[in-house]
Amino acid sequence: MNRKTDQLLTDCITENKENIYRLAYSYVKNKEDALDIVQDAIYKAMTSIESLKDKAAVKSWFYRIVVNTSLDFLRKHKRVHPMEQEKLESYAPNAVDSYTDIDLVKTLADLPSKYREVVVLRYFEDMKIEEVADVLHENVNTVKTRLYQALRLLRVKLKDTSLKETK
């Protein structure tokens, strides 16, 4: 392994460790499974770092490995985990949710994965559209379209949920 390339990957993982864990967690909704996914993703990245052609794209390359490892895990285990209460509180500690009747997490989980991935990377991981496109190996316009469609679906689903609650 090239020492410089190895250092780039190590730096990327170290600088983004919380985001990497959160990304894995967003798929499996379980601490232990998310940690396993991160560990597997690091192993996969370390053993295949030489296949990375553009060393400047190490972050998006590694995030893609985390996404793929998460999806492989879900396919293998075919199970859904409810989000843990402490994780929900970590997003906004001591915050009072004025929309208690809207379950954003459930609504987001109900989205098809191609839309959910874009929303999670863009809004939960705070990536730029171009970075999301790199991670997902998609065209920037495809990502923009999926993001628009995902937000439209979320809006419709959340509106339906709130209408049902008021009846």
Side-chain angles (χ1 to χ4, degrees), residues 48-63:
S48 62
I49 188 71
E50 293 305 320
S51 68
L52 178 62
K53 292 174 180 61
D54 181 8
K55 306 304 181 207
V58 70
K59 181 179 176 183
S60 60
W61 176 79
F62 183 69
Y63 272 54

Side-chain angles (χ1 to χ4, degrees), residues 126-140:
D126 200 30
M127 290 184 163
K128 294 179 178 137
I129 297 288
E130 294 78 16
E131 293 173 319
V132 174
D134 283 346
V135 168
L136 299 177
H137 295 294
E138 294 288 353
N139 180 300
V140 170

Side-chain angles (χ1 to χ4, degrees), residues 89-100:
E89 292 171 358
S90 73
Y91 284 119
N94 302 323
V96 176
D97 188 359
S98 60
Y99 301 102
T100 54

Side-chain angles (χ1 to χ4, degrees), residues 114-115 118 138 142-151:
K114 69 180 184 178
Y115 298 132
V118 173
E138 294 288 353
T142 301
V143 170
K144 287 179 183 178
T145 301
R146 284 185 186 167
L147 184 59
Y148 172 77
Q149 290 170 336
L151 293 175

Side-chain angles (χ1 to χ4, degrees), residues 110-167:
D110 289 344
L111 283 179
S113 64
K114 69 180 184 178
Y115 298 132
R116 186 176 55 248
E117 287 175 340
V118 173
V119 171
V120 167
L121 292 172
R122 176 67 184 99
Y123 295 109
F124 291 87
E125 298 305 321
D126 200 30
M127 290 184 163
K128 294 179 178 137
I129 297 288
E130 294 78 16
E131 293 173 319
V132 174
D134 283 346
V135 168
L136 299 177
H137 295 294
E138 294 288 353
N139 180 300
V140 170
N141 288 330
T142 301
V143 170
K144 287 179 183 178
T145 301
R146 284 185 186 167
L147 184 59
Y148 172 77
Q149 290 170 336
L151 293 175
R152 189 170 44 87
L153 283 171
L154 282 172
R155 191 176 307 119
V156 168
K157 286 182 179 212
L158 291 174
K159 191 174 187 179
D160 286 348
T161 303
S162 66
L163 286 176
K164 287 177 188 173
E165 306 262 334
T166 58
K167 289 183 180 179

